[in-house]
Amino acid sequence: MCGIVGYVGSQQAAPFLLQGLKKLEYRGYDSAGICELNGTLRIHKTRGRIADLESLLATEKIVGTIGIGHTRWATHGSPSDHNAHPHFDCTGNLAVVHNGIIENYQGLRQQLIAEGHCFLSETDTEVVSHLVEKHYQGDLLTAVAQAIVELKGSFAIAVLAKDSPGELVVVRQDSPLVVGLGNQENYLASDIPAILDYTRNVYILEDGEIARIKENSVDVFDMKLNLLEKTVFEVKWDPIQAEKEGYADFMLKEIHEQPKAVRDTIAGRMDEHGNLLIEREIPRNLVAGITKVQFIACGTAYHASLYGKHVLEEFLDVPIETDLASEYRYKRVKADQNTLLIVISQSGETADTLGAMRLAKAKGARVLAITNVVGSTLSREADAVMYTHAGPEIAVASTKAYTTQLACLCMIATYLKEQVSGEKEITLLQALANIPEQIESVLLAHEHRLEKYARRLLHATDAFFLGRGLDYASAMEGQLKLKEISYIHGEALAGGELKHGTLALIVAEVPVIALLTQETLIDKMVSNLKEVKARGGNILLLAQSNSGDFSDVGDEILLLPQTHCLLAPLLTVVPMQVLAYYAAKVRNCDVDKPRNLAKSVTVE
Ligand code: M6R
């Protein structure tokens, strides 16, 4: 998640580039830059926001009429001036901006260095500049087409060459790009909001399409450089709708971004045979000889840690503990040099989480962070970091951060098992590779039904979420989602606990969301649900598709795709997020900014 803009025309490029970048700042904001061509290529870039770039440019004379720009959300390499885009090749003849992740960048980088190329940043993007340089023989379009054949991963790329003045060459694979069509000028953007003030006529590039954009023409080709006929699409969205890509709220957009977010998170971290490739992120010596694993986190990230604890307990014999960071801070810290402390935080800035981490670190614990924000305090203070590649999460309610945290935890658990016992978990990883597609199918199959079901919650005061084992950990996240945005009181219960108190609250029509994905616990859960049924509770049941017939207990049954039981939480959470979202909508709540809450809790 970053933003790309480009301009070719008769006017100065800089005003469009800057305005376009401001419109895309919500997609990434740790550094920004532009490159303009005016006889020579000049790059202006800086760590920080677009306002910082503007200040930098205030003292410069920018007159080029062709240029590219980028606002970054770091994935590879910390936010810094040298990691900001655009990136030159060795000669300064080419400049490149890129969104997405080049999965095979390490191999390419080594190969290019061996061939004599000189790298100035830690980014995956820079391999693109050098690869295009390698293939460049005077025709930019051909060079880009040849270079991208060597790339694996997702990318939207724009390239500008000093030797090919008057044209931009851009390409898209799994990362959006649109070309805005103007009068004697054309525009490029990764996202429609950037160009809406200039034109509403666009070509939406499809995967594998390459475009050559000039002042008076836009030609679109396939990968083999056959010219394609494109249809002009007229954008009818208003600017706010465009920022949310047509979704009513950021939360809904982010729920729908989960297939891509999970795909990006696992990309490049395992091969097609299910082998893990994460040793570079988590060095062996970080985990060698550990005698205990502790998790700390808050809120949704804490619920992810409950998942992590459960999976690790299946795989390791050492004790696995999890604590709310705010509790950990005020109890006797029992960590030492052989403790692996796994700290989970979307923002990497949560005060309690950082405070707890520092206490454990002071006792010698080895810290492995899972965070979404490159360069965050957590990422800087941890001994090792595994980033979720979810992109910026704007809605206060965490959605894609959670599912990507689970994906990371699944890989970490598998890695630890491999390191400790030498045993691989190939079937689990193979099943993980299918999760993005399965989340897509859950949304497709059930969103509408959940929207309808949510109307039942219009006047609800309470809802109960029941599960056993791993389903109980998921139920915790389900209840938090519902209560934080719809203000309905939610409570998660381990199925067996019901009769120890809460059953007293189950009366006619009380909504009960039941999770039934853990094969060995199904019979026990069904008994618990019968207790609910007998008291008139209304059960929305989430189960894997081939695990049985539950029509006698479920009032509404949602069947989810079959997956490895340790991965079921990545699917069950999606309907619970959707339900919370639509319940909040029917109750007229501000979904993205729920009352009293903030996205990042940087005070204790
Ligand atoms: O940035 P963090 O992951 O450390 O934030 C922790 C919690 O504040 C956060 O998960 C919060 O519970 C969610 N916004 C709830 O959806």
Side-chain angles (χ1 to χ4, degrees), residues 4-8 16 157-158 168-172 176-182 185-192 194-196 198-206 209-215 217-221 230-235:
I4 286 179
V5 288
Y7 177 87
V8 193
F16 168 77
I157 292 168
L168 281 183
V169 174
V170 308
V171 57
R172 167 205 159 127
L177 265 190
V178 293
V179 181
L181 307 171
E185 55 189 359
N186 290 306
Y187 315 91
L188 171 72
S190 50
D191 305 86
I192 287 171
I195 53 177
L196 275 190
Y198 295 82
T199 181
R200 289 189 165 259
N201 293 331
V202 301
Y203 285 151
I204 298 182
L205 296 188
E206 302 294 338
E209 289 184 350
I210 307 179
R212 183 174 53 204
I213 310 170
K214 298 186 177 181
E215 181 178 327
S217 64
V218 177
D219 294 318
V220 181
F221 305 87
K230 290 292 284 182
T231 314
V232 177
F233 177 79
E234 193 194 339
V235 182

Side-chain angles (χ1 to χ4, degrees), residues 29-33 45-48 72-74 76-87 120-123 374-375:
Y29 35 74
D30 60 51
S31 51
K45 57 184 187 177
T46 179
R47 180 181 175 160
R72 180 167 185 250
W73 174 265
H76 296 72
S78 58
S80 65
D81 291 354
H82 66 276
N83 286 334
H85 301 208
H87 291 285
L120 300 177
S121 76
E122 300 136 354
T123 62
V374 178

Side-chain angles (χ1 to χ4, degrees), residues 199-386:
T199 181
R200 289 189 165 259
N201 293 331
V202 301
Y203 285 151
I204 298 182
L205 296 188
E206 302 294 338
D207 285 344
E209 289 184 350
I210 307 179
R212 183 174 53 204
I213 310 170
K214 298 186 177 181
E215 181 178 327
N216 289 314
S217 64
V218 177
D219 294 318
V220 181
F221 305 87
D222 66 13
M223 298 277 250
K224 293 192 171 134
L225 296 187
N226 300 307
L227 189 62
L228 303 173
E229 245 181 63
K230 290 292 284 182
T231 314
V232 177
F233 177 79
E234 193 194 339
V235 182
K236 298 206 168 108
W237 296 338
D238 66 37
I240 299 292
Q241 273 179 315
E243 212 167 82
K244 294 176 186 160
E245 287 168 19
Y247 291 103
D249 300 279
F250 278 111
M251 182 183 175
L252 190 60
K253 172 174 172 275
E254 287 160 6
I255 288 173
H256 280 267
E257 279 171 354
Q258 290 181 108
K260 176 162 169 34
V262 174
R263 203 172 282 129
D264 284 349
T265 298
I266 57 184
R269 287 177 165 149
M270 50 197 210
D271 66 18
E272 59 274 29
H273 310 296
N275 294 311
L276 274 175
L277 310 169
I278 58 173
E279 201 177 312
R280 193 177 46 86
E281 295 165 283
I282 312 175
R284 278 171 193 228
N285 61 6
L286 188 86
V287 300
I290 51 168
T291 53
K292 174 162 44 174
V293 178
Q294 289 185 337
F295 285 95
I296 49 170
C298 300
T300 288
Y302 171 71
H303 298 150
S305 81
L306 295 175
Y307 171 85
K309 172 176 157 66
H310 191 105
V311 179
L312 276 178
E313 276 171 348
E314 292 282 316
F315 288 178
L316 302 183
D317 289 328
V318 299
I320 318 287
E321 299 163 3
T322 181
D323 273 290
L324 289 161
S326 54
E327 291 293 310
Y328 190 94
R329 291 182 82 172
Y330 300 104
K331 63 183 222 182
R332 193 148 73 89
V333 174
K334 290 188 181 162
D336 60 25
Q337 297 88 328
N338 295 325
T339 304
L340 176 67
L341 185 82
I342 304 183
V343 186
I344 311 176
S345 170
Q346 186 283 131
S347 62
E349 302 295 349
T350 301
D352 278 322
T353 307
L354 294 175
M357 173 193 65
R358 287 170 187 149
L359 291 175
K361 222 181 157 180
K363 296 269 181 179
R366 314 169 194 180
V367 180
L368 168 59
I370 300 177
T371 181
N372 196 30
V373 183
V374 178
S376 57
T377 309
L378 174 59
S379 74
R380 286 185 273 113
E381 294 188 17
D383 298 307
V385 187
M386 187 170 198

Side-chain angles (χ1 to χ4, degrees), residues 298-301 344-350 353 396-398 405 477 480-481 484 598-601:
C298 300
T300 288
I344 311 176
S345 170
Q346 186 283 131
S347 62
E349 302 295 349
T350 301
T353 307
V396 165
S398 237
Q405 284 160 0
E477 176 57 8
L480 176 63
K481 276 304 78 91
E484 71 179 319
K599 182 68 188 161
S600 187
V601 187

